[in-house]
Amino acid sequence: MERHVALIVLISMFSLVGCDEPGASGAPPAEPYTSFFTPLPQAAVFPDDNAFSEEKRALGEFLFWDPILSGRMNVSCATCHHPDHGWADGRLFSIGVDGTGLGPTRSGSLETPFHSPSVLNVAFTGLAQTQPQPGFVSGGYFWDLRVATLEDQAIDPIKSEVEMRSSDFLEEEIMPEILQRLALIPEYQDLFSAAFEGPDPISEENIARALATYQRTLITSPTRFDAFLAGDETALTDAEIAGLNKFINGGCTDCHSGPMLADNLIDPAKPIQVDKPAVRTPTMRNVELTAPYMHDGSRATLRQAIALYEDRNDLDVSLEDDDFGDIERFLRTLTDSSFPRQVPDYVPSQLPVGGEIL
């Protein structure tokens, strides 16, 4: 979950920043496609100070789904990042500690002022056009890039009053409370001891390391677009290739390139809308699964969102609008519907898995 940021209000999960003319030529670009994109890697690079272990991954999975990390023990990371909704929540704005239910039907009085982005492929956030180099660490995170690593990002939602902490605890009180809860559960004592060395393995730092380790394993499989980049010219249809060409020739790759189709940068000159602050460029992978679009949810479909970048404010975008349709068809080739969907049968706290989401 992304935490409230004063700088960023009413932001969009979909931002074709730099896509100046979606109706640009469908002719092949002057340079090879691999000058703009590379296939998504299939193995995460783990930082030296948080190397992968199965023990850490297993602990992180439990913690991700266990509402014991929330103040009222009713929400978890999975409340807003659930596989049923592409590891997001399918909502315009998320509902944290005062809500019940899952996804678009979740109800409650307090909403975050932002989308919950998918955590699929967060291991590759910030990865440039080249393949991972030794020492690559993903980042930064949050819409204003205020933290550098996934470990840093993992703790913030737990301390957010709206998301997980609740008004029952002060920010400085919540982590000592959670550490005490975990220390009273024998299974968590064993899990932390197996994952981390030292006399006091149950710590805020190790919670962050375990959560980050688990999230780095949530990787999508190669898509048809990846197969196309690898040399299979039959992987995409003619209409999808036309959409890819229009995506490039229209300038969308100024920001949406590389293996994640995102440079993960903030360009102050290119806000989502003229009256809103600029935010980091999000990935286009699995964008088909993260509707609704735009800061106010006014674009229910990809076609409508794409049309906005040609100053088309009407919502009646017909199938005859070939430019929009071709780009939409291309973007759908970035979807992997076989992404990880495993939900644990239980969590060590014996609380409802995922929190009050039923």
Side-chain angles (χ1 to χ4, degrees), residues 9-12 89-95 103 110-116 292 294-297:
V9 294
L10 300 177
I11 58 179
S12 162
D89 64 4
R91 294 184 53 83
L92 173 62
F93 304 128
S94 297
I95 298 174
L110 297 177
E111 291 184 327
T112 60
F114 45 78
H115 281 290
S116 284
M294 310 317 300
H295 68 282
D296 56 0

Side-chain angles (χ1 to χ4, degrees), residues 172-185:
E172 61 268 22
E173 294 174 338
I174 189 61
M175 288 310 301
E177 168 69 18
I178 289 171
L179 296 178
Q180 183 179 40
R181 293 175 187 173
L182 295 172
L184 293 175
I185 300 174

Side-chain angles (χ1 to χ4, degrees), residues 240-356:
E240 290 164 348
I241 294 174
L244 168 60
N245 295 339
K246 292 171 184 179
F247 188 84
I248 295 172
N249 295 334
C252 302
T253 51
D254 289 352
C255 297
H256 294 281
S257 60
M260 290 285 279
L261 284 86
D263 60 14
N264 202 51
L265 300 175
I266 296 174
D267 186 345
K270 296 180 179 179
I272 296 170
Q273 290 183 298
V274 294
D275 58 342
K276 305 300 178 192
V279 295
R280 71 181 176 99
T281 307
T283 179
M284 292 290 96
R285 286 191 176 271
N286 275 31
V287 68
E288 175 184 6
L289 306 178
T290 57
Y293 307 104
M294 310 317 300
H295 68 282
D296 56 0
S298 60
R299 300 304 188 264
T301 68
L302 272 176
R303 186 79 55 91
Q304 293 169 359
I306 295 164
L308 182 64
Y309 289 87
E310 202 169 86
D311 298 324
R312 285 284 298 275
N313 292 316
D314 61 295
L315 298 183
D316 185 21
V317 182
S318 71
L319 292 174
E320 285 70 38
D321 290 325
D322 292 337
D323 291 334
F324 307 135
D326 287 344
I327 293 177
E328 177 190 21
R329 293 182 186 96
F330 159 62
L331 291 175
R332 291 182 185 277
T333 71
L334 302 172
T335 300
D336 166 42
S337 297
S338 67
F339 55 78
R341 295 176 184 268
Q342 180 178 354
V343 178
D345 296 328
Y346 78 100
V347 288
S349 68
Q350 301 304 315
L351 292 165
V353 175
E356 296 179 7

Side-chain angles (χ1 to χ4, degrees), residues 198-277:
D200 299 305
I202 300 179
S203 67
E204 177 177 338
E205 181 179 36
N206 287 342
I207 290 173
R209 287 173 170 171
L211 286 170
T213 297
Y214 170 61
Q215 290 182 75
R216 286 191 176 100
T217 67
L218 300 177
I219 297 173
T220 56
S221 298
T223 64
R224 290 193 294 118
F225 180 58
D226 293 307
F228 179 79
L229 292 177
D232 182 0
E233 297 181 357
T234 67
L236 301 187
T237 67
D238 289 345
E240 290 164 348
I241 294 174
L244 168 60
N245 295 339
K246 292 171 184 179
F247 188 84
I248 295 172
N249 295 334
C252 302
T253 51
D254 289 352
C255 297
H256 294 281
S257 60
M260 290 285 279
L261 284 86
D263 60 14
N264 202 51
L265 300 175
I266 296 174
D267 186 345
K270 296 180 179 179
I272 296 170
Q273 290 183 298
V274 294
D275 58 342
K276 305 300 178 192

Side-chain angles (χ1 to χ4, degrees), residues 19 53 87 122 199 213 222 228 262 346 352:
C19 189
S53 75
W87 291 91
V122 291
T213 297
F228 179 79
Y346 78 100

